[in-house]
Amino acid sequence: MDRRTLLAPLAPGRALRESSRAGAPPGGGLTEAEARALSSRILGMIVADEARVNLSSGREGNTRYAVNRITTAGDAGGVSASILVRYGRRSATVSTNRFDDESLRAAVDTAQTLARLAPEDPEAMPELEPIDYPAGAGHVAATAALDAVGRAQVAGDAIERALAAGLEVAGYLEASDQASAIANSRGLFGYNRSTAVDYSVTARTEDGLGSGWAGTGHRDWSAIDAAALHARAIAKALASREARPLAAGVYPAILEPAAVLDLVRLLPSALDARRAHEGRSAFSRPDQGTAIDERLLDPKITLRSDPLGMGASPFAADGLPALPRTWIRNGRLQRLAYSRWWAQQRGVEPTGFPGSIRMEGEPRSLEQLIAETERAVLVTRFWYVRSLDPRTLLYTGLTRDGTFWVEDGRIQYPVNNFRWNDSPLLAFRNVDALTRPERVASGYELPAMRVPEFDFASVSEAV
C-alpha cells in the first residue's frame, strides 16, 4: 500500500485546474444594476404594509459518471423571484420566473390575495431597515468558467486511472455561478455573486470488496486538485481489499476531515437558542437555562462561523447580516443562535444561524497524526447518518469507503465497516490531537482528529 498516495493532502491542482475552457456559457445571473431594477419594478407593483423580494439567478452545471463512463451531464440557469407581502401579521409568499409585466402583476396579485386570507402570525417581524452590507468575496473566475467540457475532462482522468488500476469509478462534479439579491419596502438592498464547486469520487474493486472515496468542495475550482482526489480514492480502494474482521466495541478513532464534517454538520441547527430555552435541546438547563459558558467539548475545539472569509453571502434570506461569530471556544459554549423573533423575546441581538463553519486545528498532517498513534480505527467517512435522540444529539450511521486498523504509527490493514452510535458532544468531549484544517465542502473547513473513544456499536457488511 502506498501510504503517501493514500494520505496525500488535497493540494492546489495543476494540470486539471486548466481543464475549463474559454467559451463557457455565460453565467453569474443578474448584475447588481439589473437586480436593483427588477426588485424595484416588483416592489412598485405591491400595495401592502410591507414587502420583500428575494432574487436568485445564475447557472449551475453537473456531470455524473459511474461504472467507468459518463452517465449524465447538464447545465441549467435562469432567474427566479420570491415575493413576500404582508398586511399586519398576515403574510404570503409567491415565486415566479416570468418577468413580463402581466406575469409579475399576476404573481403580486396572488401574493396579496393569499396574504389577506392567511392567519395572523404571532411571531411575525417587521422588515429590516437598510443595512450597509460588505461586498462578498466568493466569486472566482476559475469556477465560473468550468463548463461541460472541463467537467468531462475531469471524469475522463478518473476513468482512465481507474481502468489502469483495474477498478470501477463513480463521481459527481457540480459547479455553480450564482447571483442573489434582497430588497424590501423599507429601502433595504443587498447583492452578492458567488461560485461554488463540489466534487467527490468513489473507486471500487470489480468484486465489490474494496472501496475508496475522496472529495472536497470550494469556491475556487483552481484550489481543487482533482487528480490527487482520483489517486487517493483509488489507493484507498486497493488498500481496503481483504478486510480483516474486527469486533464491535469502543475504540480510539482517527476521523478524517470528511468524517469530522459528518459530525460537525449536526451542530448548527442544534444551537438554536429557542429550543434550548424551552428545554428541547442538548444545550438546555433547568428553569429555561442554557449551557452557555459550560465546557462541553475538549479545550482543543474552537468552532466559528466565517461567512465572508469563506465566500458566503453577506446576508441571510430575511436580510439579517451574516457576521463572523464564535460558537464554541476552547470547548466552552460561547453563544446560541437567535432568530429575530426569539432575540426580541429574550432582549438580545439576533445572530442568525451558523453557516460557513471553521474548526481550528493543530500544525500536523494526517500522516503525522497516524505516525503518532499507538492504536486506532481510521475512518474515511460516514454514511447514512440518522438521528436517534435529538435531545442528546445521539446519532447512528455507517463507516464507509475505507476503514483501517492503525497500530504502532502505521496503517496495518483494512477492517470491516461498522454501524456506530455516537454524538458529536460525546465524540468531541475528549480529543487527543488535530491536524491542520482543510476545506472539505464550500461551507466547511475542518481538521482530522483523533479521539480516545468512539462507539462502533455493531459490525456492518457494507463496503
Side-chain angles (χ1 to χ4, degrees), residues 42-54 81-95 104-119 121 124-127 183-185:
I42 296 171
L43 289 170
M45 296 179 177
I46 298 172
V47 181
D49 294 341
E50 290 192 306
R52 181 171 75 234
V53 175
N54 291 87
S82 175
I83 305 167
L84 178 145
V85 300
R86 182 178 288 117
Y87 298 97
R89 291 185 174 275
R90 304 176 191 273
S91 66
T93 302
V94 168
S95 297
L104 280 179
R105 288 195 179 94
V108 167
D109 288 346
T110 300
Q112 293 179 155
T113 299
L114 292 174
R116 292 188 181 98
L117 296 172
D121 179 2
M125 294 294 293
E127 289 298 305
N184 70 19
S185 53

Side-chain angles (χ1 to χ4, degrees), residues 62 75 80 96 113 130 181 185 262 265 294 300-301 343 348 366 411 413 457 460 462:
N62 65 81
D75 286 84
S80 64
T96 183
T113 299
S185 53
D262 289 326
R265 67 180 9 146
E294 289 185 20
K300 297 181 183 66
I301 301 295
V348 299
L366 177 60
I411 297 174
Y413 47 80
S460 168

Side-chain angles (χ1 to χ4, degrees), residues 280-323:
R280 299 182 289 116
S281 162
F283 305 110
S284 300
R285 296 298 180 266
D287 301 321
Q288 294 192 348
T290 69
I292 290 293
D293 206 36
E294 289 185 20
R295 189 182 83 77
L296 303 176
L297 306 179
D298 190 277
K300 297 181 183 66
I301 301 295
T302 293
L303 201 69
R304 57 194 176 92
S305 293
D306 185 14
L308 290 180
M310 296 186 71
S313 174
F315 49 84
D318 64 354
L320 200 65
L323 301 176

Side-chain angles (χ1 to χ4, degrees), residues 11 17 82 87 117 121 151 153 166 171 173 183 186 245 257 272 331-332 336 338 431 437 440:
R17 74 169 60 165
S82 175
Y87 298 97
L117 296 172
D121 179 2
R151 300 193 306 267
Q153 290 175 344
L173 173 57
R186 293 177 179 246
D272 179 39
R332 292 187 178 274
L336 293 169
Y338 285 82
V431 175
V440 289

Side-chain angles (χ1 to χ4, degrees), residues 234-424:
I234 288 170
K236 279 182 176 282
L238 294 173
S240 66
R241 296 173 298 182
E242 300 179 3
R244 300 187 189 181
L246 182 64
V250 177
Y251 292 98
I254 296 174
L255 308 178
E256 293 195 15
V260 174
L261 169 64
D262 289 326
L263 295 178
V264 168
R265 67 180 9 146
L266 306 175
L267 289 172
S269 62
L271 289 167
D272 179 39
R274 181 175 185 174
R275 288 169 55 194
H277 287 297
E278 293 180 344
R280 299 182 289 116
S281 162
F283 305 110
S284 300
R285 296 298 180 266
D287 301 321
Q288 294 192 348
T290 69
I292 290 293
D293 206 36
E294 289 185 20
R295 189 182 83 77
L296 303 176
L297 306 179
D298 190 277
K300 297 181 183 66
I301 301 295
T302 293
L303 201 69
R304 57 194 176 92
S305 293
D306 185 14
L308 290 180
M310 296 186 71
S313 174
F315 49 84
D318 64 354
L320 200 65
L323 301 176
R325 301 186 188 278
T326 298
W327 304 95
I328 296 171
R329 178 183 285 117
N330 299 330
R332 292 187 178 274
L333 182 64
Q334 297 295 295
R335 66 174 74 238
L336 293 169
Y338 285 82
S339 66
R340 291 181 62 209
W341 186 79
W342 194 247
Q344 182 187 68
Q345 304 307 300
R346 306 296 299 191
V348 299
E349 291 295 317
T351 63
F353 286 83
S356 302
I357 300 295
R358 279 184 159 141
M359 180 187 288
E360 294 184 4
E362 296 176 325
R364 62 168 61 82
S365 66
L366 177 60
E367 191 168 16
Q368 289 171 325
L369 179 61
I370 291 171
E372 297 168 3
T373 299
E374 182 178 346
R375 57 190 293 273
V377 176
L378 173 65
V379 178
T380 296
R381 68 169 182 145
F382 296 131
W383 181 67
Y384 212 74
V385 179
R386 296 293 184 269
S387 175
L388 292 177
D389 182 4
R391 179 64 178 74
T392 61
L393 284 187
L394 181 65
Y395 281 77
T396 187
L398 300 171
T399 65
R400 183 173 178 174
D401 298 321
T403 306
F404 302 91
W405 180 250
V406 173
E407 191 168 344
D408 298 329
R410 292 176 57 85
I411 297 174
Q412 299 292 340
Y413 47 80
V415 297
N416 50 254
N417 281 300
F418 297 94
R419 173 167 292 281
W420 55 269
N421 297 330
D422 220 314
S423 161

Side-chain angles (χ1 to χ4, degrees), residues 421-443:
N421 297 330
D422 220 314
S423 161
L425 297 183
L426 296 175
F428 299 165
R429 187 178 296 275
N430 294 295
V431 175
D432 293 333
L434 302 168
T435 66
R436 283 182 289 271
E438 64 182 58
R439 192 70 70 94
V440 289
S442 57

